[in-house]
Every structure is written in structure tokens, then in C-alpha cells.
Amino acid sequence: MVEETQSSRTLELVLGIIGGIFGLLGGLFAIFFSVFASEVLYLGISAVLASILGIIGAVYVQRNPRNAGLILIISAIWLLISISAFAIPGTVFLGISGVLALIRK
């Protein structure tokens, strides 16, 4: 019998969690910034939700890397659309994590 070796998904997990944390920080910054511009409040809440989805996708990468990779990429795009400039670090980490989850065997 030939065993198929699975690669460790620790890199995707760590990058996804770091990206989610950066996204949470950016979202919280946008929520605090909403004191000056009220329309930013909903974008900050959206960014926090996208970051939580990214962290869930990062944790899920151990079980099903393909679906988790898609979740990570979707959350990266959602985060970038929500709070653009505040989300660049989180988007980069989530995006890299998602692409790695999709292309690594």
C-alpha cells in the first residue's frame, strides 16, 4: 500500500491567524474612527466580521485545505473592500494563506 503524505498546514494556519488579528485591529481602528465619520462604523463592523471569518478559515485549513483556502481568499477580499488602507496587512496575510492552502499538496 502506498501512503499519501500530507504536508503540514502550520504555515497557512499561522499566516491566517496573523492576518485575522491584523484585520481585527484595522476594523477596531475604523470603528473608533467612526466617532469622526459615522459611515465608517458599518465598514469597521464588516471588517471585523471578515477577520473572524478569516480566522475560522485558518483553523479549518487542517481539515479541508481547499475550502479553507477559498474562505481565506474571500475574507481577504471582503476585508480589503471594507476598510481598504487599514486592511492592507491583514489582506496580505489572509491572501497568502489562502493561496498557499490552495496550491500546496
Side-chain angles (χ1 to χ4, degrees):
M1 297 181 93
V2 177
E3 288 187 30
E4 184 176 324
T5 60
Q6 279 190 320
S7 63
S8 174
R9 299 291 179 169
T10 307
L11 180 63
E12 291 92 333
L13 175 69
V14 170
L15 288 176
I17 290 173
I18 291 172
I21 291 170
F22 276 129
L24 283 172
L25 292 174
L28 291 175
F29 183 74
I31 290 171
F32 290 133
F33 186 71
S34 70
V35 171
F36 304 109
S38 62
E39 53 277 339
V40 179
L41 174 67
Y42 299 111
L43 296 174
I45 292 171
S46 175
V48 169
L49 293 175
S51 300
I52 291 171
L53 180 69
I55 292 172
I56 291 170
V59 172
Y60 189 64
V61 80
Q62 300 289 343
R63 288 192 186 153
N64 192 342
R66 182 163 307 249
N67 290 343
L70 291 174
I71 290 171
L72 287 164
I73 290 173
I74 289 169
S75 67
I77 293 169
W78 180 10
L79 184 63
L80 185 63
I81 290 172
S82 294
I83 55 170
S84 63
F86 299 131
I88 291 174
T91 300
V92 169
F93 282 113
L94 287 171
I96 291 172
S97 176
V99 169
L100 284 175
L102 289 176
I103 63 172
R104 283 181 60 187
K105 295 273 182 189

